[in-house]
Amino acid sequence: MTERPSGPFRLGDRVQLTGPKGRMHTITLREDGELHTHHGVLKHSALVGQPDGSVLANSGGHEYLALRPLLRDFVMSMPRGAAIIYPKDAAQIIAEADVFPGSVVVEAGVGSGALSLWLLRAMGAEGRLVSFERRAEFAEVARANVETYLGEAPANWSVVVGDLVEALPETVAPASVDRVVLDMLAPWECIDVVADALTPGGVVLCYIATATQLSRVAEYIRVTGLFTEPEASETMVRGWHVEGLSVRPDHRMVAHTGFLLWARRLAPGAVPPEVKRRASKSSYGDEDVELWTPGAVGDREITDKNLRKRVREAQRAAEGARQASGATGEAGASA
Protein backbone atom coordinates (compact mmCIF):
# COMPACT_ATOMS: atom_id res chain seq x y z
CA MET A 1 0.00 0.00 0.00
CA THR A 2 1.10 3.59 -0.52
CA GLU A 3 2.67 5.72 2.20
CA ARG A 4 0.66 8.11 4.30
CA PRO A 5 -0.41 11.14 2.20
CA SER A 6 0.96 13.98 4.31
CA GLY A 7 3.73 16.55 4.41
CA PRO A 8 4.66 19.13 1.75
CA PHE A 9 3.35 18.65 -1.77
CA ARG A 10 5.64 16.65 -4.07
CA LEU A 11 5.75 15.89 -7.76
CA GLY A 12 3.27 13.09 -8.44
CA ASP A 13 0.84 14.14 -5.69
CA ARG A 14 -2.83 14.64 -6.50
CA VAL A 15 -3.99 18.08 -5.38
CA GLN A 16 -7.50 19.47 -5.16
CA LEU A 17 -7.65 23.20 -5.93
CA THR A 18 -10.73 25.18 -4.87
CA GLY A 19 -11.27 28.61 -6.40
CA PRO A 20 -13.10 31.66 -5.00
CA LYS A 21 -16.49 30.48 -6.29
CA GLY A 22 -16.07 26.96 -4.92
CA ARG A 23 -15.17 25.36 -8.25
CA MET A 24 -12.74 22.47 -7.83
CA HIS A 25 -9.88 21.29 -10.04
CA THR A 26 -8.03 18.07 -9.28
CA ILE A 27 -4.54 17.86 -10.74
CA THR A 28 -1.48 15.59 -10.55
CA LEU A 29 1.62 17.67 -9.92
CA ARG A 30 4.13 17.51 -12.78
CA GLU A 31 7.42 19.29 -13.29
CA ASP A 32 6.21 21.45 -16.21
CA GLY A 33 2.50 21.24 -15.46
CA GLU A 34 0.14 24.22 -15.48
CA LEU A 35 -3.52 24.76 -14.59
CA HIS A 36 -5.14 27.02 -17.18
CA THR A 37 -8.46 28.70 -16.47
CA HIS A 38 -10.25 31.83 -17.71
CA HIS A 39 -8.77 33.62 -14.70
CA GLY A 40 -5.10 32.87 -15.35
CA VAL A 41 -2.40 30.21 -15.03
CA LEU A 42 -1.16 28.40 -11.92
CA LYS A 43 2.15 26.55 -12.32
CA HIS A 44 2.40 23.16 -10.64
CA SER A 45 5.92 24.05 -9.52
CA ALA A 46 4.46 26.78 -7.27
CA LEU A 47 2.72 24.06 -5.23
CA VAL A 48 5.74 21.79 -4.80
CA GLY A 49 7.14 22.14 -1.28
CA GLN A 50 4.07 23.96 0.04
CA PRO A 51 2.24 22.41 3.03
CA ASP A 52 -1.17 20.80 2.65
CA GLY A 53 -3.86 23.45 3.11
CA SER A 54 -1.93 26.29 1.47
CA VAL A 55 -3.50 29.18 -0.47
CA LEU A 56 -1.79 30.28 -3.69
CA ALA A 57 -2.60 32.91 -6.32
CA ASN A 58 -2.43 32.32 -10.06
CA SER A 59 -1.12 34.74 -12.69
CA GLY A 60 -4.41 36.67 -12.60
CA GLY A 61 -4.37 37.10 -8.83
CA HIS A 62 -7.14 34.57 -8.18
CA GLU A 63 -6.50 32.52 -5.06
CA TYR A 64 -6.84 28.73 -4.78
CA LEU A 65 -6.99 26.56 -1.68
CA ALA A 66 -4.74 23.53 -2.21
CA LEU A 67 -5.53 20.27 -0.40
CA ARG A 68 -4.85 16.62 -1.01
CA PRO A 69 -8.24 15.11 -1.95
CA LEU A 70 -9.85 12.84 0.60
CA LEU A 71 -10.95 9.41 -0.54
CA ARG A 72 -14.58 10.60 -0.56
CA ASP A 73 -13.58 13.45 -2.91
CA PHE A 74 -11.85 11.04 -5.28
CA VAL A 75 -14.67 8.50 -5.52
CA MET A 76 -17.24 11.20 -6.22
CA SER A 77 -15.26 12.57 -9.17
CA MET A 78 -13.53 9.53 -10.68
CA PRO A 79 -14.57 8.02 -14.07
CA ARG A 80 -17.53 5.68 -13.68
CA GLY A 81 -18.46 2.59 -15.62
CA ALA A 82 -21.26 1.73 -13.20
CA ALA A 83 -22.93 3.74 -10.44
CA ILE A 84 -20.78 4.04 -7.33
CA ILE A 85 -21.57 3.28 -3.70
CA TYR A 86 -21.74 6.67 -1.97
CA PRO A 87 -19.37 7.41 0.93
CA LYS A 88 -22.25 7.42 3.43
CA ASP A 89 -23.15 3.85 2.45
CA ALA A 90 -19.52 2.73 2.20
CA ALA A 91 -18.95 3.88 5.78
CA GLN A 92 -21.96 1.87 6.98
CA ILE A 93 -20.84 -1.18 5.02
CA ILE A 94 -17.44 -1.07 6.72
CA ALA A 95 -19.14 -0.72 10.11
CA GLU A 96 -22.00 -3.22 9.77
CA ALA A 97 -19.86 -5.86 8.05
CA ASP A 98 -17.09 -5.15 10.58
CA VAL A 99 -14.30 -5.19 8.01
CA PHE A 100 -11.12 -5.42 10.10
CA PRO A 101 -7.37 -5.27 9.39
CA GLY A 102 -6.20 -8.58 7.94
CA SER A 103 -9.67 -9.75 6.92
CA VAL A 104 -10.41 -11.74 3.77
CA VAL A 105 -13.22 -10.00 1.87
CA VAL A 106 -15.15 -10.84 -1.29
CA GLU A 107 -17.15 -8.19 -3.15
CA ALA A 108 -19.43 -8.52 -6.17
CA GLY A 109 -19.76 -6.59 -8.40
CA VAL A 110 -16.84 -4.27 -8.43
CA GLY A 111 -18.62 -1.51 -10.39
CA SER A 112 -16.25 1.45 -10.72
CA GLY A 113 -14.01 0.50 -7.79
CA ALA A 114 -15.31 2.97 -5.18
CA LEU A 115 -16.13 0.36 -2.54
CA SER A 116 -12.93 -1.53 -3.38
CA LEU A 117 -10.91 1.49 -2.25
CA TRP A 118 -12.79 1.74 1.06
CA LEU A 119 -12.43 -2.00 1.69
CA LEU A 120 -8.71 -1.98 0.88
CA ARG A 121 -8.18 0.86 3.34
CA ALA A 122 -10.17 -0.87 6.11
CA MET A 123 -8.49 -4.29 5.77
CA GLY A 124 -4.96 -2.92 5.46
CA ALA A 125 -1.96 -4.49 3.76
CA GLU A 126 -2.43 -7.73 5.71
CA GLY A 127 -5.95 -8.30 4.34
CA ARG A 128 -7.05 -9.74 1.02
CA LEU A 129 -9.78 -8.48 -1.29
CA VAL A 130 -11.23 -10.52 -4.15
CA SER A 131 -13.61 -8.56 -6.40
CA PHE A 132 -15.94 -10.17 -8.93
CA GLU A 133 -17.41 -8.39 -11.94
CA ARG A 134 -19.43 -9.78 -14.83
CA ARG A 135 -18.48 -7.07 -17.33
CA ALA A 136 -14.84 -6.79 -18.36
CA GLU A 137 -15.24 -3.08 -19.18
CA PHE A 138 -16.40 -2.28 -15.64
CA ALA A 139 -13.47 -4.28 -14.25
CA GLU A 140 -11.04 -2.22 -16.36
CA VAL A 141 -12.52 1.05 -15.06
CA ALA A 142 -12.29 -0.21 -11.47
CA ARG A 143 -8.66 -1.35 -11.86
CA ALA A 144 -7.67 2.00 -13.35
CA ASN A 145 -9.48 4.02 -10.67
CA VAL A 146 -7.88 2.07 -7.82
CA GLU A 147 -4.44 2.39 -9.38
CA THR A 148 -4.97 6.10 -9.97
CA TYR A 149 -5.76 6.75 -6.31
CA LEU A 150 -3.14 4.45 -4.79
CA GLY A 151 -0.44 5.04 -7.42
CA GLU A 152 -0.08 1.29 -7.95
CA ALA A 153 -2.07 -1.91 -8.22
CA PRO A 154 -2.39 -3.35 -4.67
CA ALA A 155 -0.75 -6.74 -4.29
CA ASN A 156 -3.54 -7.91 -1.98
CA TRP A 157 -6.36 -7.17 -4.48
CA SER A 158 -7.50 -9.36 -7.35
CA VAL A 159 -10.33 -8.82 -9.83
CA VAL A 160 -12.10 -11.84 -11.29
CA VAL A 161 -14.22 -11.33 -14.41
CA GLY A 162 -17.09 -13.77 -14.32
CA ASP A 163 -20.28 -14.83 -12.58
CA LEU A 164 -19.93 -15.11 -8.79
CA VAL A 165 -21.97 -18.32 -8.59
CA GLU A 166 -19.58 -20.11 -10.94
CA ALA A 167 -16.30 -18.37 -10.11
CA LEU A 168 -16.39 -18.10 -6.30
CA PRO A 169 -15.98 -21.84 -5.53
CA GLU A 170 -13.03 -21.93 -7.96
CA THR A 171 -11.36 -18.88 -6.41
CA VAL A 172 -11.60 -19.33 -2.64
CA ALA A 173 -11.59 -22.35 -0.35
CA PRO A 174 -14.72 -23.28 1.60
CA ALA A 175 -15.14 -21.51 4.96
CA SER A 176 -12.15 -19.21 4.24
CA VAL A 177 -13.81 -15.80 3.72
CA ASP A 178 -14.52 -13.41 6.59
CA ARG A 179 -16.85 -10.94 4.82
CA VAL A 180 -18.88 -10.90 1.59
CA VAL A 181 -20.41 -7.72 0.16
CA LEU A 182 -22.95 -8.16 -2.65
CA ASP A 183 -23.79 -5.12 -4.78
CA MET A 184 -25.92 -6.65 -7.51
CA LEU A 185 -29.44 -6.84 -8.88
CA ALA A 186 -30.35 -10.31 -7.56
CA PRO A 187 -28.12 -11.17 -4.57
CA TRP A 188 -30.38 -14.07 -3.53
CA GLU A 189 -29.01 -16.02 -6.49
CA CYS A 190 -25.58 -16.07 -4.83
CA ILE A 191 -26.46 -16.75 -1.18
CA ASP A 192 -25.83 -20.50 -1.37
CA VAL A 193 -22.25 -20.21 -2.71
CA VAL A 194 -21.61 -17.34 -0.32
CA ALA A 195 -22.65 -19.54 2.60
CA ASP A 196 -20.12 -22.18 1.52
CA ALA A 197 -17.32 -19.60 1.25
CA LEU A 198 -17.95 -17.84 4.58
CA THR A 199 -16.26 -18.91 7.79
CA PRO A 200 -18.63 -19.55 10.72
CA GLY A 201 -19.51 -16.16 12.19
CA GLY A 202 -18.66 -14.42 8.92
CA VAL A 203 -20.86 -11.65 7.55
CA VAL A 204 -22.74 -11.36 4.28
CA LEU A 205 -23.95 -7.85 3.46
CA CYS A 206 -26.18 -6.93 0.52
CA TYR A 207 -26.46 -3.44 -0.98
CA ILE A 208 -29.77 -3.21 -2.82
CA ALA A 209 -31.84 -0.45 -4.36
CA THR A 210 -35.52 -1.27 -3.85
CA ALA A 211 -37.86 -2.56 -1.15
CA THR A 212 -38.91 -5.52 -3.31
CA GLN A 213 -35.30 -6.65 -3.62
CA LEU A 214 -34.84 -6.14 0.10
CA SER A 215 -37.83 -8.35 0.88
CA ARG A 216 -36.80 -11.16 -1.43
CA VAL A 217 -33.20 -11.45 -0.28
CA ALA A 218 -34.24 -11.31 3.39
CA GLU A 219 -36.74 -14.13 2.92
CA TYR A 220 -34.22 -16.21 0.98
CA ILE A 221 -31.62 -15.84 3.71
CA ARG A 222 -34.20 -16.93 6.31
CA VAL A 223 -35.25 -19.98 4.31
CA THR A 224 -31.67 -21.29 4.01
CA GLY A 225 -31.39 -21.70 7.78
CA LEU A 226 -27.66 -20.99 7.44
CA PHE A 227 -27.61 -17.44 8.81
CA THR A 228 -28.70 -15.37 11.74
CA GLU A 229 -31.84 -13.27 11.41
CA PRO A 230 -31.05 -10.61 8.76
CA GLU A 231 -31.00 -6.94 9.72
CA ALA A 232 -31.67 -4.04 7.36
CA SER A 233 -31.23 -0.28 7.30
CA GLU A 234 -30.82 2.74 5.06
CA THR A 235 -28.65 5.78 5.68
CA MET A 236 -29.73 9.37 5.08
CA VAL A 237 -27.39 12.31 5.53
CA ARG A 238 -28.71 15.83 6.08
CA GLY A 239 -26.24 18.68 6.18
CA TRP A 240 -26.71 21.81 8.26
CA HIS A 241 -26.10 25.45 7.48
CA VAL A 242 -24.29 26.99 10.44
CA GLU A 243 -23.43 30.69 10.19
CA GLY A 244 -23.83 32.96 13.20
CA LEU A 245 -27.41 32.72 14.43
CA SER A 246 -28.52 31.23 11.12
CA VAL A 247 -28.57 27.54 12.05
CA ARG A 248 -30.88 25.39 9.95
CA PRO A 249 -30.93 22.20 7.88
CA ASP A 250 -29.65 22.48 4.33
CA HIS A 251 -32.33 22.74 1.67
CA ARG A 252 -30.98 19.62 -0.01
CA MET A 253 -29.91 16.29 1.46
CA VAL A 254 -28.55 12.93 0.37
CA ALA A 255 -31.53 10.71 1.11
CA HIS A 256 -32.19 7.20 -0.17
CA THR A 257 -29.44 5.64 -2.27
CA GLY A 258 -29.87 2.02 -1.24
CA PHE A 259 -30.68 -0.47 1.51
CA LEU A 260 -28.15 -2.49 3.48
CA LEU A 261 -29.04 -5.98 4.67
CA TRP A 262 -26.65 -8.17 6.62
CA ALA A 263 -26.55 -11.51 8.43
CA ARG A 264 -23.94 -13.80 9.99
CA ARG A 265 -23.04 -17.36 8.99
CA LEU A 266 -24.04 -20.01 11.50
CA ALA A 267 -21.81 -22.92 12.42
CA PRO A 268 -22.40 -26.11 10.37
CA GLY A 269 -25.41 -27.96 11.73
CA ALA A 270 -26.48 -25.13 14.03
CA VAL A 271 -30.21 -24.42 14.19
CA PRO A 272 -31.07 -20.78 14.92
CA PRO A 273 -33.62 -20.10 17.65
CA GLU A 274 -37.09 -19.59 16.24
CA VAL A 275 -38.02 -15.96 15.75
CA LYS A 276 -41.70 -15.25 16.37
CA ARG A 277 -43.18 -12.79 13.89
CA ARG A 278 -46.52 -11.87 12.46
CA ALA A 279 -47.70 -13.75 9.42
CA SER A 280 -46.69 -12.11 6.16
CA LYS A 281 -46.63 -12.81 2.46
CA SER A 282 -43.47 -14.87 1.93
CA SER A 283 -44.23 -16.71 -1.31
CA TYR A 284 -43.65 -15.32 -4.78
CA GLY A 285 -45.52 -15.72 -8.02
CA ASP A 286 -44.71 -14.70 -11.59
CA GLU A 287 -46.12 -11.20 -11.03
CA ASP A 288 -43.86 -10.71 -8.02
CA VAL A 289 -40.77 -11.87 -9.88
CA GLU A 290 -41.55 -9.45 -12.71
CA LEU A 291 -41.14 -6.60 -10.22
CA TRP A 292 -37.47 -7.55 -9.81
CA THR A 293 -36.49 -7.30 -13.47
CA PRO A 294 -33.66 -4.85 -14.27
CA GLY A 295 -35.96 -2.25 -15.79
CA ALA A 296 -38.47 -2.36 -12.98
CA VAL A 297 -35.88 -1.81 -10.24
CA GLY A 298 -34.16 1.00 -12.08
CA ASP A 299 -31.07 -0.79 -13.41
CA ARG A 300 -29.82 1.68 -16.00
CA GLU A 301 -27.76 0.30 -18.86
CA ILE A 302 -24.76 2.36 -19.95
CA THR A 303 -24.22 2.50 -23.72
CA ASP A 304 -21.18 0.71 -25.16
CA LYS A 305 -19.88 3.99 -26.62
CA ASN A 306 -20.13 5.78 -23.27
CA LEU A 307 -18.57 2.84 -21.46
CA ARG A 308 -15.58 2.78 -23.84
CA LYS A 309 -15.10 6.49 -23.11
CA ARG A 310 -15.12 5.86 -19.35
CA VAL A 311 -12.56 3.06 -19.75
CA ARG A 312 -10.22 5.36 -21.70
CA GLU A 313 -10.58 8.15 -19.11
CA ALA A 314 -9.82 5.80 -16.22
CA GLN A 315 -6.85 4.22 -17.99
CA ARG A 316 -5.36 7.63 -18.84
CA ALA A 317 -5.64 8.68 -15.20
CA ALA A 318 -4.00 5.43 -14.06
CA GLU A 319 -1.15 5.86 -16.56
CA GLY A 320 -0.56 9.38 -15.29
CA ALA A 321 -0.47 8.11 -11.70
CA ARG A 322 2.03 5.38 -12.64
CA GLN A 323 4.31 7.87 -14.39
CA ALA A 324 4.08 10.32 -11.50
CA SER A 325 4.76 7.57 -8.98
CA GLY A 326 7.79 6.44 -10.98
CA ALA A 327 9.11 9.99 -11.17
CA THR A 328 8.69 10.40 -7.41
CA GLY A 329 10.52 7.11 -6.76
CA GLU A 330 13.45 8.13 -8.98
CA ALA A 331 13.67 11.53 -7.28
CA GLY A 332 13.73 9.87 -3.87
CA ALA A 333 16.43 7.41 -4.95
CA SER A 334 18.67 10.15 -6.35
CA ALA A 335 18.27 12.16 -3.15
Side-chain angles (χ1 to χ4, degrees):
M1 305 293 283
T2 57
E3 60 186 60
R4 181 181 178 185
S6 61
F9 293 127
R10 301 159 298 181
L11 292 177
D13 282 351
R14 291 178 64 83
V15 180
Q16 182 175 276
L17 299 171
T18 306
K21 295 184 178 180
R23 183 174 182 181
M24 293 184 182
H25 304 270
T26 301
I27 61 175
T28 299
L29 295 182
R30 305 187 188 285
E31 188 172 357
D32 300 321
E34 296 178 337
L35 172 67
H36 291 259
T37 69
H38 295 298
H39 304 294
V41 178
L42 179 64
K43 294 182 179 295
H44 290 195
S45 58
L47 290 161
V48 176
Q50 297 294 324
D52 208 342
S54 296
V55 177
L56 296 92
N58 68 2
S59 60
H62 289 263
E63 294 184 331
Y64 289 86
L65 171 62
L67 290 164
R68 285 187 176 88
L70 302 176
L71 179 51
R72 68 177 186 184
D73 301 322
F74 177 79
V75 299
M76 294 302 292
S77 62
M78 68 187 190
R80 303 181 188 182
I84 66 165
I85 290 181
Y86 279 74
K88 71 180 182 70
D89 293 319
Q92 285 297 107
I93 288 172
I94 298 298
E96 299 298 355
D98 191 35
V99 179
F100 57 91
S103 56
V104 177
V105 182
V106 166
E107 68 161 335
V110 70
S112 299
L115 183 60
S116 303
L117 283 165
W118 291 107
L119 292 172
L120 286 165
R121 173 173 287 183
M123 68 179 60
E126 299 79 16
R128 178 190 174 204
L129 175 63
V130 184
S131 303
F132 291 82
E133 176 55 56
R134 288 181 175 179
R135 299 191 63 171
E137 298 90 345
F138 288 175
E140 286 301 313
V141 172
R143 288 191 186 101
N145 282 333
V146 170
E147 190 169 341
T148 297
Y149 186 76
L150 298 178
E152 61 184 359
N156 62 337
W157 182 48
S158 58
V159 181
V160 179
V161 178
D163 187 274
L164 183 71
V165 173
E166 300 174 357
L168 184 60
E170 302 173 356
T171 307
V172 301
S176 65
V177 176
D178 298 303
R179 308 291 185 257
V180 176
V181 181
L182 302 178
D183 174 17
M184 56 178 59
L185 186 66
W188 51 87
E189 296 176 351
C190 306
I191 295 300
D192 293 328
V193 294
V194 165
D196 292 337
L198 277 173
T199 185
V203 178
V204 58
L205 185 145
C206 304
Y207 178 77
I208 37 196
T210 70
T212 48
Q213 290 170 295
L214 179 66
S215 172
R216 184 166 186 182
V217 70
E219 292 302 328
Y220 192 96
I221 287 175
R222 290 188 180 108
V223 168
T224 65
L226 301 175
F227 294 89
T228 60
E229 176 68 11
E231 300 179 60
S233 71
E234 65 175 333
T235 303
M236 300 183 186
V237 175
R238 184 174 71 171
W240 277 72
H241 172 87
V242 181
E243 187 173 346
L245 296 178
S246 175
V247 180
R248 56 169 175 74
D250 286 341
H251 297 306
R252 301 179 63 184
M253 67 176 290
V254 182
H256 176 80
T257 49
F259 296 103
L260 301 184
L261 180 141
W262 62 95
R264 301 189 67 179
R265 180 68 163 95
L266 295 172
V271 179
E274 183 179 356
V275 178
K276 295 183 179 180
R277 60 172 62 89
R278 295 179 180 178
S280 63
K281 181 179 179 181
S282 58
S283 59
Y284 306 95
D286 293 338
E287 293 182 359
D288 299 306
V289 174
E290 182 63 25
L291 293 175
W292 297 313
T293 59
V297 298
D299 186 39
R300 299 179 179 178
E301 291 291 334
I302 186 173
T303 64
D304 291 339
K305 180 180 179 180
N306 199 351
L307 181 55
R308 288 193 296 270
K309 178 182 177 182
R310 305 289 176 83
V311 171
R312 290 194 298 270
E313 290 177 353
Q315 289 176 337
R316 280 197 297 267
E319 178 62 26
R322 284 194 294 269
Q323 293 176 358
S325 179
T328 303
E330 293 174 5
S334 61

